[in-house]
Amino acid sequence: MNDLLIILTASFVAISCSLLGCFLVLRKMTMVADAISHAVLPGIVIAFLLSGSRDSMVMLAGAAAFGILTTFLIELFHLKGGLQSDASIGVTFTWLFALGVILISVFAGQVDLDQDCVLYGEIAYVPIDLWITKSGTIMGPRALWISAIVMVIIIAFILLAYKELYLTTFDPAFAAAIGISTTLWHYLLMSMVSLVSVASFESVGAILVVALIVTPPATAYLLTRELKKMLILSVIIGVITSVGGFYLAYALDGSIAGAMATVGGILFGLAFLFSPTDGYISRFRRKTNKAAMINALQE
Amino acid sequence: MEALLEFLSFQDPSVRMVTLGAVILTASSALVGSFTFLKKKALIGDAVAHAVLPGVCLAFLLSGEKNPLLLIIGAFITGWLSLNIIDFVTNESKIKEDTAIALVLSVFFGFGILLLTFIQHGDYAEQSGLDHFLFGQAASLVGEDLIIFLSVGLLLIALILLFFKELTLISFDRQFAQTSGLPVKWLELLLTSMTVLAVVIGIQAVGVVLMAAMLITPPAAARYWTDYLPRMVLLAAIFGAFSGFSGALISYVSPAMPTGPWIVMVATTIALLSILFAPARGIIFKMKRQQENQLKILTENILKSFYHLGQKHQDMKHRYSFDEIHSIRPSIPKPRLKKGLRVLEKEGFLRKKENSYRLSAEGTEKGKRVVKLHRLWEVYLTEYLYLDPDHVHDSAETMEHVITPELEKKLEEMLNYPDRDPHDEEIPYT
């Protein structure tokens, strides 16, 4: 039963991350997502200090605001400050992450977060941490509820805004011409990334958020050339990653988050080598076939 | 306070060691980082920093001991592997560079975490301290470990000095370096290897996650102060060293504080100050310059209007009320116009009496010059670029504020001092 709860939580997180990740991979913005996933840390610590607990939605929102702040700062340093964009990302997220770690050390007694947990979470504790309502009813694991709610929000967002996301991703000029603001959708997408990062932080940690945002969509990207198929495929791959990662961690007695990232990497490696359309081997074969054909024609 | 003085006196040999270690490590990563920064590959350092974790863990698992040399070798192998995978995936598939970096970064790090937790849950006597790699612990830089890390740091500094010219070339103009016969492939391999080495020793001080800052932030800050590469690299090293020094100081005075995040905080503070206040490139300087330009355009436009009015009235010393001036240039908002008039009066181009204004002698001259430049430019556009006379006004509106006295003279000579513009208006000369 506990195993099932952990796998369910991880799968919900994986579905949210994979869906958003497809758009980030296509927009070449995965490193911004990486930055956001690190930079929400001070937001979480501050919200925790102010509200005294991890439960309220206010805290989620407050912490997610830091994600949007990150996006804003990256753009500010790049556009107004003239800092090249890769350096702008690097400077911003390390700064905010350092701030978060320092805050944790300063308020060590008051904040129930530790440094390691920040990086790779503790999804193994999901079944123990229960959500108990004021009347005393036990509703089940808290993280499971949070990840489920976030997943519903993300799915709704993508269903409702599919056209806008599609256009601003593939043809920003056309989108702008018919009156869809690329800036607005950029910030909306990044707010969703912040939301997912914050909600998944304590269960899976910053690194797995990035792993789940990047690996399933990148794998799906190698298997199809259609956005709709890519979204569905990456959800499936995300769930496989979660389940596979859980059992790998179980076998090795190691971090579940770490194992999930490892499985994600293995799946990507397989697609990279064996994908029928874009795999290394089929590309290589096509290249040699072409060479052979040219040779044959010349003879 | 006592602790501070104790630190600064450097009486305690371990303080000397730790500080020296932190300074050399941060300075050498800033030096190497300058070149990856200029190659616009700053985030590669982030990927390498995360990718060394599995190497460290594997080296520990295989050898069963925490020999720093073995850990460095392990870290070097996976760090180097990660860079090559990023290149390979980017070149051999439709995956873009940012995705490849994020992918390698998170998968290698996840694998590292898996190994680390496997070791922690396992039965390894010597494993404590491996997790220092995550957040860094400058205070643990003592004894034999320190000597090894210091030698690597000094080796990096020596390599940078030795290959400075070659590294500069491949960072700025790879193709030129190639055509001038430099072994570009080998030099890039050298830079890659140096990046990995800098990361491997740097994470001792700041840890995996924040290592990227040590490579990126000091060079980014230094870039704001100079265009001259040797100066930039030197500045980056100084900024890095200063951050390392401050980090060591802070964690000595307050041992509960993590060293790495404080080093990063200091470095980022320097970078933010540079982004804001650096002369020529800083945000504030740029905003000020923009404001000055806008004010210059505004005042010149006002003087030009006065000159036009003076010609109409056949009297340059004629007085106009504020509302009369505003009715000529209604596109300028009233507060802006007021500001422009105030500045012009202060600079002696206008004389004010009871809410009405007239041109001074200097003002007449300046207004005349703007009108002249406007009309000269219109002549130039019609005669040399064959534009229609009714298409030249807008361009002249801009150029009249930009043309320098040297250019003005050239234009006059080239056009042979014309006295009429394409709209048959007189071009005024002094």
Side-chain angles (χ1 to χ4, degrees), chain B residues 133-174:
Chain B
F133 280 96
L134 289 177
F135 289 98
Q137 187 57 270
S140 64
L141 285 174
V142 281
E144 233 178 276
D145 297 18
L146 180 68
I147 293 170
I148 293 175
F149 292 125
L150 277 187
S151 341
V152 177
L154 292 173
L155 171 74
L156 284 175
I157 295 174
L159 282 172
I160 293 264
L161 291 176
L162 207 60
F163 291 100
F164 195 85
K165 199 180 74 192
E166 287 82 0
L167 290 171
T168 309
L169 259 180
I170 62 163
S171 308
F172 278 117
D173 198 339
R174 193 172 180 278

Side-chain angles (χ1 to χ4, degrees), chain B residues 15-33 138 141 145-158 160 197-199 201-206 211 214-215 218 236-246 248 263:
Chain B
V15 171
R16 274 203 297 266
M17 284 293 144
V18 169
T19 315
L20 183 69
V23 166
I24 298 277
L25 297 192
T26 46
S28 52
S29 14
L31 281 174
V32 177
L141 285 174
D145 297 18
L146 180 68
I147 293 170
I148 293 175
F149 292 125
L150 277 187
S151 341
V152 177
L154 292 173
L155 171 74
L156 284 175
I157 295 174
I160 293 264
L197 273 183
V199 166
I201 61 167
I203 55 173
Q204 300 294 318
V206 299
M211 185 55 218
M214 276 352 291
L215 289 166
I238 293 172
F239 289 161
F242 178 75
S243 318
F245 177 82
S246 318
I263 296 182

Side-chain angles (χ1 to χ4, degrees), chain B residues 216-236:
Chain B
I216 302 170
T217 311
R223 183 69 189 86
Y224 278 86
W225 298 93
T226 175
D227 284 327
Y228 180 54
L229 183 75
R231 210 173 287 143
M232 182 200 134
V233 174
L234 184 68
L235 257 184

Side-chain angles (χ1 to χ4, degrees), chain B residues 108-413:
Chain B
F108 270 72
F109 189 69
F111 183 53
I113 291 289
L114 181 64
L115 291 174
L116 184 65
T117 43
F118 173 69
I119 293 170
Q120 281 169 346
H121 297 166
D123 200 15
Y124 296 92
E126 260 205 81
Q127 51 105 345
S128 78
L130 268 187
D131 52 353
H132 282 168
F133 280 96
L134 289 177
F135 289 98
Q137 187 57 270
S140 64
L141 285 174
V142 281
E144 233 178 276
D145 297 18
L146 180 68
I147 293 170
I148 293 175
F149 292 125
L150 277 187
S151 341
V152 177
L154 292 173
L155 171 74
L156 284 175
I157 295 174
L159 282 172
I160 293 264
L161 291 176
L162 207 60
F163 291 100
F164 195 85
K165 199 180 74 192
E166 287 82 0
L167 290 171
T168 309
L169 259 180
I170 62 163
S171 308
F172 278 117
D173 198 339
R174 193 172 180 278
Q175 278 173 342
F176 177 69
Q178 224 155 12
T179 45
S180 43
L182 282 176
V184 171
K185 279 249 147 67
W186 286 104
L187 286 167
E188 274 177 346
L189 187 69
L190 176 74
L191 183 59
T192 311
S193 313
M194 288 198 308
T195 312
V196 180
L197 273 183
V199 166
V200 172
I201 61 167
I203 55 173
Q204 300 294 318
V206 299
V208 165
V209 185
L210 294 172
M211 185 55 218
M214 276 352 291
L215 289 166
I216 302 170
T217 311
R223 183 69 189 86
Y224 278 86
W225 298 93
T226 175
D227 284 327
Y228 180 54
L229 183 75
R231 210 173 287 143
M232 182 200 134
V233 174
L234 184 68
L235 257 184
I238 293 172
F239 289 161
F242 178 75
S243 318
F245 177 82
S246 318
L249 174 84
I250 291 168
S251 54
Y252 182 79
V253 175
S254 161
M257 284 292 159
T259 323
W262 273 109
I263 296 182
V264 174
M265 270 321 244
V266 175
T268 314
T269 308
I270 299 174
L272 291 179
L273 291 176
S274 309
I275 294 175
L276 283 176
F277 299 112
R281 282 170 183 276
I283 291 182
I284 290 184
F285 185 90
K286 269 199 248 172
M287 271 164 48
K288 220 174 115 195
R289 198 169 43 196
Q290 207 177 4
Q291 265 178 2
E292 280 169 5
N293 281 339
Q294 275 167 354
L295 191 66
K296 178 172 182 262
I297 291 173
L298 175 74
T299 52
E300 287 187 354
N301 280 341
I302 295 174
L303 287 177
K304 192 174 68 172
S305 306
F306 267 93
Y307 185 82
H308 283 311
L309 281 173
Q311 279 194 318
K312 212 167 82 187
H313 288 96
Q314 306 270 326
D315 174 16
M316 284 298 162
K317 300 277 148 79
H318 196 279
R319 297 192 155 275
Y320 307 93
S321 72
F322 180 81
D323 291 326
E324 272 178 282
I325 301 164
H326 188 252
S327 66
I328 301 172
R329 284 206 162 251
S331 61
I332 303 175
K334 278 189 179 173
R336 280 293 287 168
L337 184 63
K338 253 181 206 149
K339 185 175 182 199
L341 289 170
R342 206 168 52 234
V343 170
L344 284 168
E345 192 209 338
K346 218 169 87 190
E347 288 175 354
F349 294 111
L350 290 178
R351 301 262 180 270
K352 184 183 179 187
K353 204 161 95 188
E354 289 156 13
N355 221 10
S356 68
Y357 299 85
R358 72 166 177 84
L359 282 172
S360 69
E362 295 88 356
T364 316
E365 280 310 302
K366 201 166 172 193
K368 194 193 259 180
R369 177 167 180 266
V370 178
V371 172
K372 177 177 104 181
L373 291 180
H374 182 106
R375 294 182 178 164
L376 269 180
W377 188 252
E378 290 187 335
V379 175
Y380 170 75
L381 286 183
T382 45
E383 286 195 3
Y384 279 84
L385 299 182
Y386 307 110
L387 291 184
D388 271 356
D390 52 346
H391 278 81
V392 294
H393 177 77
D394 288 343
S395 164
E397 274 298 284
T398 316
M399 290 304 290
E400 66 191 19
H401 307 293
V402 181
I403 294 171
T404 57
E406 294 81 21
L407 197 59
E408 178 185 352
K409 216 172 145 223
K410 287 254 179 199
L411 271 175
E412 285 174 346
E413 282 167 10

Side-chain angles (χ1 to χ4, degrees), chain A residues 57-76:
Chain A
M57 282 315 247
V58 182
M59 177 203 145
L60 270 185
F66 258 81
I68 301 165
L69 175 74
T70 314
T71 319
F72 173 74
L73 283 176
I74 291 173
E75 304 250 305
L76 178 78

